Amino acid sequence: MPLAQQLRLRTSNALERVNQELKRRTRVAGLFPNEASLLRLITALLNEISDQWQTSTRVYLTMENHPQPSV
């Protein structure tokens, strides 16, 4: 893997931020009537975070100008 990507991937800050956001949002909701309602909330939050990453103008990792692995 290229050095620039290794430097980005060596830390878990992005994952820690996602976990922090999930914890914050579930704490706001308080109690859940059943497991399905908790899973719906978490799924919606993860979709929202994914959409933000895909539509963001910030580039965290770029795969441009890097050779693709041979299969």
Side-chain angles (χ1 to χ4, degrees):
M1 205 167 244
L3 181 61
Q5 291 180 353
Q6 288 179 12
L7 294 175
R8 287 294 208 164
L9 293 175
R10 69 181 171 82
T11 179
S12 62
N13 287 344
L15 183 58
E16 290 173 12
R17 177 70 181 118
V18 168
N19 288 334
Q20 180 183 22
E21 184 65 17
L22 289 174
K23 185 176 182 179
R24 184 182 74 82
R25 298 274 190 103
T26 54
R27 195 178 296 151
V28 168
L31 297 174
F32 295 93
N34 54 35
E35 186 177 341
S37 63
L38 172 63
L39 290 175
R40 277 194 303 273
L41 175 65
I42 290 178
T43 302
L45 293 173
L46 291 175
N47 281 331
E48 179 183 322
I49 292 168
S50 177
D51 289 344
Q52 288 172 356
W53 273 75
Q54 290 176 359
T55 60
S56 175
T57 57
R58 293 182 58 190
V59 176
Y60 185 73
L61 285 178
T62 179
M63 299 306 280
E64 295 173 5
N65 300 326
H66 296 292
Q68 296 297 318
S70 60
V71 178

